[in-house]
Amino acid sequence: MREDPFHVSANTDPKGDRSKRPQDQDPDMLLHVVRETDSGIVVRGAKYETAAAYSNQAFAKPTNANWGDAELSDYAVGFILDMNARGLKYLCRTGFAGRRDPADYPLSARVDEVDTLVIFDDVEIPWEDVLFYRHTRAATFIRATLHRYSALPFTQRNLRLADLMIGAALWNVKQTRPGEAAGRAGELAQLACYRRGHQRAPHRRDRDGPDAARAAC
């Protein structure tokens, strides 16, 4: 774990009332700083995160677009989080692995990623792990450039999932309509080319669609 930490991105907020500022609703719903110490900052609130319960660290950052009217806001905070920090609580949904026969559930039984509500109950973040604090411009910049550091792992993960989906589609055709497998080859090939096209050019927009992917093949 020390040489190859599992890093996730604590990104998604509990939604609450989006018509209100964070300060005007439940003050402890969205992640924010409650006080400073000599060692760092103390944060409270919650985040939704995939795979949080079995990761080593997370990049916690704001997602709510309104951090208050003031230039300095306690909700505009970003830091690297040790997932073993004192005061963290994890509420995980039930996983699918081991609950069903993988032959019948080839995707969820193998590539399930457990979604988790991470609750920060006065968690202290050391100063050396704080990236920005009470800095609305930094929070805006992080939100504007989120895709730059999230697109690569997202694409890598989804490519593996796409492989399983194509295989599951082929197996489904063979199981339900064995005589039509050859007739469905074109559609299955189209899926494979679409997946291959996005592997070569993951920055393509969805509007390019299968035609552009086929051209890439």
Side-chain angles (χ1 to χ4, degrees):
M1 292 183 180
R2 292 180 179 178
E3 300 299 328
D4 187 21
F6 181 14
H7 182 92
V8 295
S9 176
N11 187 48
T12 305
D13 292 315
K15 300 309 178 187
D17 188 342
R18 295 188 179 187
S19 68
K20 297 180 180 179
R21 301 184 310 162
Q23 298 91 328
D24 296 334
Q25 49 186 311
D26 184 343
D28 293 335
M29 179 179 294
L30 301 180
L31 187 65
H32 64 289
V33 178
V34 292
R35 65 180 181 274
E36 294 183 11
T37 68
D38 292 338
S39 302
I41 57 176
V42 177
V43 296
R44 186 184 301 164
K47 287 282 186 182
Y48 285 109
E49 181 51 44
T50 300
Y54 43 92
S55 61
N56 301 109
Q57 58 182 208
F59 176 16
K61 53 195 173 299
T63 56
N64 204 338
N66 184 356
W67 298 285
D69 299 331
E71 182 178 353
L72 301 177
S73 171
D74 291 329
Y75 293 86
V77 58
F79 52 85
I80 300 299
L81 173 67
D82 178 2
M83 303 303 271
N84 195 35
R86 185 186 300 273
L88 287 178
K89 299 178 181 178
Y90 298 92
L91 300 180
C92 306
R93 69 162 173 78
T94 303
F96 297 113
R99 298 176 60 195
R100 299 287 188 273
D101 186 347
D104 295 325
Y105 298 86
L107 299 182
S108 58
R110 290 184 173 90
V111 296
D112 181 30
E113 296 177 316
V114 178
D115 299 309
T116 305
L117 176 63
V118 183
I119 300 174
F120 296 75
D121 187 5
D122 286 7
V123 177
E124 186 174 67
I125 309 299
W127 284 119
E128 58 265 28
D129 292 335
V130 177
L131 302 177
F132 59 89
Y133 160 44
R134 304 190 75 204
H135 199 315
T136 53
R137 290 182 60 188
T140 302
F141 175 80
I142 287 295
R143 291 305 309 154
T145 59
L146 176 64
H147 63 283
R148 296 183 183 179
Y149 51 83
S150 64
L152 178 59
F154 177 82
T155 301
Q156 290 176 327
R157 182 174 63 209
N158 277 8
L159 286 175
R160 304 287 78 79
L161 181 60
D163 289 337
L164 282 171
M165 292 182 68
I166 293 170
L170 175 60
W171 184 246
N172 180 263
V173 171
K174 289 181 176 180
Q175 281 186 316
T176 58
R177 299 179 182 273
E180 296 184 12
R184 298 293 183 181
E187 296 174 358
L188 292 170
Q190 182 176 332
L191 285 174
C193 283
Y194 186 63
R195 179 250 186 249
R196 182 65 177 172
H198 278 265
Q199 180 183 18
R200 292 183 179 182
H203 60 279
R204 283 197 173 119
R205 296 182 183 275
D206 291 341
R207 59 181 171 80
D208 290 340
D211 291 337
R214 282 196 296 270
C217 288

